[in-house]
Amino acid sequence: MVLNIFPFLCCFTVLGLCFLAWLLYAAAAWWTSAVVMYPLAAQSTTVPIPHSEDMDVQAEGMDVADVSKFCKSMGLVIGMNVGCLQFKSNSFDKVLTRIEIYMFLFGIMIYILHRVILSSTCSSIRTSSTCSSIRTRDMVSLILYWIPNTCAPLVAIPMITFCIPIGGAAKITILIIGYIVLVATNFRQLRSDVMRLFLQTPSAPTGEYGVGQEDLLSISRQHDFSLLQQLGGVAGLCEKLKTDSKKGITGNDEDILARKNAFGSNAYPRKKPRSFWTFLWEASQDLTLVILIIAAAASLALGIKSEGIKQGWYDGGSIAFAVVLVIVVLAVCDYQQSLQFQSLNEEKRNIHMEVYRGGRRIEISIFDIVVGDIIPLKIGDQVPADGVLVAGHSLAIDESSMTGESKIVHKNSKSPFLMSGCKVSDGYGTMLVTAVGINTEWGLLMASISEDTGEETPLQVRLNGLATFIGVVGLTVAFVVLVVLLARYLSGHTKFADGTPAFKAHKTTASKAIDGVIKIVTIAVTIVLVAVPEGLPLAVKVTLAYSMRKMMRDKALVRRLSACETMGSATTICSDKTGTLTLNEMTVVEAYANGKKVERPTDVSLLSPTLSSMLMEGVVQNTTGSVFVPDAGGEEEVSGSPTEKAILHWGLKLGMKFDVERLKSSIIHAYPFNSEKKRGGVVVKAADESVRVHWKGAAEIVLALCNHYIDENDCVQPLHEQKMHFFRKSIKEMAAGSLRCVAIAFRSVEPENVPTNEERLAEWVLPENDLVLLAIVGIKDPCRPGVKDAVQLCTSAGVKVRMVTGDNLQTAKAIALECGILASDADASEPNLIEGKTFRALSEERRQEIAEKISVMGRSSPNDKLLLVKALKKRGHVVAVTGDGTNDAPALHEADIGLSMGIQGTEVAKESSDIIILDDNFSSVVKVVRWGRSLYANIQKFIQFQLTVIVAALIINVVAAFSTGDVPLNAVQLLWISLVMDTLGALALATEPPTDYLMHRPPVGRREPLITNIMWRNLLIQAVYQVTVLLILNFRGLSILHLEHEPSTRAYKIKNTVVFNAFVFCQLFNEFKARKPDQLNVFEGVVKNPLFIGIVGVTLVMQIVIVEFLGKLTSTVRLSWKLWLVCIAIGFVSWPLAVIGKLIPVPDTPLSRLFKRKIPRRRRAQGHEADKADGSSSDCTIEGEVQLTSVLVVQPLSA
């Protein structure tokens, strides 16, 4: 009886020890993390990657691998237990098996418990803002993560014991040892994971800052206004974060590092990009390559069986090697393009913002923003982090990107919370950053999504259609070749070089017959591989990536791939004036004040005292710029928009003390500058309780609101008609001198008329009538150097440049004449020169007529620009538009190509655009046009090159197959040709740099055929030449090459090698011709493309190696130097032939249109004959004509 109980006791003891080991393991994990690792992480100076609330998300993410292992273990253990219960007869083994099943069920129970606890705890952690400390949350997350790892031994060890055919006692011993080893191993893994997790987790705030991370998260995420009040409001929060609400943080390296350690960085974890092995796997999924691999494997097996491993591996091994080489090259190319797109995407994310640090207003990357930063916000900015409003005026935020509701939310002291990722739609203000990176809702959202790189451009869509059409033709040809070759082979008509039949019924062995059939199938499949132009999509990828990288160097950041190719079709560019055609370096050069012109604008002694005082107040308060005066002395630093900076610089030259003047009065309310009304104003309250409204804006608009001015004696005088005429004339004269005119005015307001309630104040309309004119200034903004040449280059390229500006019409006219947009004063009349309001008032039909003639539109609003874009598009133009303001977003979005400005452009404008001009220079816009045309031209070059190869290869193999039952180009040779044609050809021709020649021809229409008449001419000439010469060599090569005296087998191989070698050399020479389809000098600029020279050189060297040294793999033989010269000569002759061919004129009208014209004429003639016959009339339509001509020319899709 004792003996029967002993096994049960042993097994239960083992189970108890395992459970105890699991408890000790969990306790050790807790102790290690809480006592050992956490203090080390807290003391670490490593800059952390903030996790906080994302900790549980990471735990779930890391748990996926464990779940997979766990499920696999469950399946194995269940199967083994069932098997052991059926076949074991020993009672001890049965009991042990049951105990192992209990252990397995115990592991499942723990795992289920883990999932329940994990889901409930993580949800409570995610929603709770009153967690006692970050440490508690981190410990819970860590333990919940490691529970599955403790379940794994409970499942894995019993599985191992079943695999060993030993007794029960030995099993128990192995079980105990296995658990000890596994627990020890996992404990070390636990230590490393704890270090990794905790070094990435922001440490809990210490006494260095007066507020903890949990409180800040509660404020930023839950918008806990009561908690904000408990902390002393915004002012108290600034104090606790050691931030000055006006000067910002100190900004030194130690301060930045301390804030990053305490609150995290403004970054978020990104999805891991696809690895090279992923691209390798995708490249190997091609059906034709898979069939070739299968055929290679079968050929390899049959060859080894019949001829032995030394000789039998050549056929199958060579095909397999060639296929692997093609796959690797394709994967490398795709992987390289992916890396380039990733680097460009990083540039898109790297937004630059202005912050206050140490009192200085500086520009930094959005990734360098830390908690405690004071950030100025203006219309069009993106809120870079979560925060609270410090001060603002009419600040309105578009929170649709976070809430999904297209509702503008106004921010004030009662609703101060700002969310990262939202846009400023109106007003201006400053914010205090309270949360960054993954601690913001925007950060969590961005961390959970991946970059979409699957965008297909219109050109790719068109090329896919072309590739499909060519592929169908190639598939048909391959099928015909397969049928013919099989029929000839099985009927005994296919013969070896010595004349013996390759197949004899009832005599040829099965293995040789199967091997012959496999070779025929391999040839047919390889023809499909050559015929399917897989290089077309690769060529688009290569040229897009190459163009985007080069455009980046030319100060153009592409946001949407389709814009690259569409820009090449642009027929008109609607450009801003300020900052695009001009330098955006503004200076006040003229001023009118006290009712007269000020001879020296920077001499304050020429201004009356009262006017000077009011002018200083208006300049200081009615601005979104700022002035920083270094403590150590030195020149003041002025920041803001170019116009604001020019006026502030003028004020400083007049003796204005910015900080002193600011303290003399305070802003009650503000009306930000509006591009519709062309003016902005503020209400200020002075120390003596007096209230004044200051206005600043377009000179003629503000002047129209004025009824008085201050004369030389400091007296307010009525602005009578004579004086009004004087000021209007002055504005016109300054505008004619290409000066931007700005007027500054004010008026007094009774304090009791100013609302005191914040809600009513936000809705209060500033008084803008009965103003007192203070000054009118003329601001000089010179044209950019080289902009006139750029405009002329556009004109010669068939691209009309139109200036659309909000400036005075006379200023716009002067700049247009200087830039070359207007040729002379004779052109400066309607409709060439028009005001926005005039254009706006026209009917839609009339606007379309006028739009064609407009060269300059002055005093235009963003809506006027939008109307112009719509009118031009309806007239069939491909429109490119530049813009920098928030209100330009609709026009940028409506245009075929939206071009935003990288320096002065707002984030709203940039997100609505397709390309960002990083230097705001019009010359960069012209460079984008060049690259767009180059992209399209490069694709056409590759199409011509590839179609020539396809046509020649298909015809040669088809004719040979029908004639002799064999093909001169075998599978390995065709694979090498495919590699040369698809991958290497795409790399060589798709990376041609743009030339000036591209800008001396009209833009290519988006509906123009991809294959032009010139391409058809070049393609047919080369294809006919190659087919003729190579077929002659194939059928008469033995006599032409004087190979009659050679053994028949060797002579046959020499002839086929010459055909193969000559064909490759024809393609090498054809690559040079494809560079310049419509130019005689094909070598022009070839040294500027080292990649082209390198690829041609590599191809040449590889061809020599293949022929001379890899004969057994490629079924070639070494050639004499005379035969090498013959092959080179065959390729070389194609050059003079191409020159002669380019002298043959071709019609400008595409072939598709010629067919469209001929077919209706024929139909009309048939219709008239039918009318005469039956007396009826028939109308001829052309609805089906596109289908009749689409075989010759693939009609492009609209962009």
Side-chain angles (χ1 to χ4, degrees), residues 996-1012:
D996 292 336
Y997 177 77
L998 295 172
M999 298 300 287
H1000 293 287
R1001 63 185 189 186
V1004 179
R1006 290 183 297 183
R1007 295 188 177 276
E1008 292 294 320
L1010 279 172
I1011 308 176
T1012 63

Side-chain angles (χ1 to χ4, degrees), residues 128-268:
S128 174
S129 63
T130 58
C131 195
S132 58
S133 68
I134 296 179
R135 180 179 302 186
T136 304
R137 181 200 58 214
D138 292 341
M139 297 306 108
V140 171
S141 298
L142 187 69
I143 295 303
L144 292 177
Y145 165 62
W146 271 96
I147 285 179
N149 285 358
T150 61
C151 298
L154 296 175
V155 177
I157 296 299
M159 180 182 67
I160 295 172
T161 60
F162 274 121
C163 300
I164 306 175
I166 55 177
K171 279 191 176 184
I172 293 174
T173 305
I174 293 174
L175 199 66
I176 294 173
I177 294 173
Y179 267 102
I180 292 173
V181 172
L182 220 99
V183 167
T185 304
N186 274 0
F187 186 78
R188 286 196 298 270
Q189 180 66 33
L190 171 66
R191 288 174 60 89
S192 64
D193 283 352
V194 169
M195 285 295 293
R196 178 170 57 85
L197 289 173
F198 276 97
L199 286 180
Q200 289 182 344
T201 306
S203 53
T206 61
E208 186 177 357
Y209 299 100
V211 62
Q213 177 79 301
E214 295 298 328
D215 290 336
L216 291 177
L217 291 178
S218 179
I219 291 172
S220 60
R221 288 194 178 179
Q222 299 184 10
H223 297 176
D224 194 336
F225 191 77
S226 61
L227 179 57
L228 179 62
Q229 294 301 313
Q230 292 174 17
L231 295 172
V234 176
L237 191 57
C238 287
E239 184 180 352
K240 293 181 185 299
L241 289 173
K242 297 184 178 181
T243 301
D244 188 295
S245 61
K246 294 183 179 179
K247 296 183 178 181
I249 62 176
T250 58
N252 55 54
D253 293 340
E254 293 78 11
D255 183 30
I256 299 296
L257 184 59
R259 293 176 185 275
K260 286 185 177 181
N261 284 332
F263 306 109
S265 303
N266 198 28
Y268 49 87

Side-chain angles (χ1 to χ4, degrees), residues 280-483:
L280 196 67
W281 174 252
E282 290 179 354
S284 64
Q285 299 301 299
D286 187 273
L287 181 60
T288 54
L289 293 177
V290 171
I291 295 174
L292 286 176
I293 286 288
I294 296 172
S299 177
L300 185 65
L302 291 172
I304 293 174
K305 180 182 178 182
S306 60
E307 301 178 22
I309 192 169
K310 288 186 177 180
Q311 299 294 329
W313 71 273
Y314 287 125
D315 289 344
S318 59
I319 295 173
F321 175 77
V323 171
V324 169
L325 180 63
V326 170
I327 290 173
V328 170
V329 172
L330 287 173
V332 168
C333 290
D334 285 342
Y335 182 61
Q336 289 295 326
Q337 309 318 316
S338 174
L339 292 179
Q340 291 182 19
F341 286 132
Q342 286 175 28
S343 64
L344 290 171
N345 287 332
E346 289 297 323
E347 290 291 335
K348 296 179 192 177
R349 299 189 189 102
N350 190 17
I351 301 171
H352 284 77
M353 299 286 296
E354 287 187 330
V355 299
Y356 287 105
R357 287 187 178 174
R360 182 183 280 108
R361 191 167 170 174
I362 60 174
E363 189 177 89
I364 64 172
S365 169
I366 192 174
F367 301 124
D368 295 330
I369 291 173
V370 294
V371 170
D373 265 327
I374 300 295
I375 301 177
L377 299 174
K378 61 182 183 299
I379 297 177
D381 282 347
Q382 175 178 309
V383 180
D386 285 359
V388 292
L389 181 66
V390 176
H393 302 287
S394 304
L395 188 66
I397 306 294
D398 180 5
E399 297 182 346
S400 58
S401 59
M402 294 303 299
T403 63
E405 299 178 4
S406 56
K407 180 182 178 182
I408 304 301
V409 181
H410 294 272
K411 298 296 178 180
N412 50 43
S413 60
K414 294 183 179 180
S415 177
F417 304 104
L418 301 170
M419 290 189 292
S420 176
C422 300
K423 304 294 188 302
V424 180
S425 61
D426 198 9
Y428 59 90
T430 55
M431 68 171 286
L432 168 68
V433 176
T434 58
V436 293
I438 206 69
N439 293 325
T440 66
E441 293 293 340
W442 178 258
L444 286 175
L445 177 65
M446 296 304 293
S448 64
I449 61 177
S450 58
E451 186 75 20
D452 181 19
T453 57
E455 175 188 0
E456 253 196 354
T457 67
L459 186 57
Q460 285 177 309
V461 174
R462 295 169 65 184
L463 288 176
N464 287 340
L466 178 62
T468 302
F469 174 73
I470 297 173
V472 170
V473 174
L475 188 63
T476 305
V477 171
F479 179 75
V480 172
V481 170
L482 176 65
V483 172

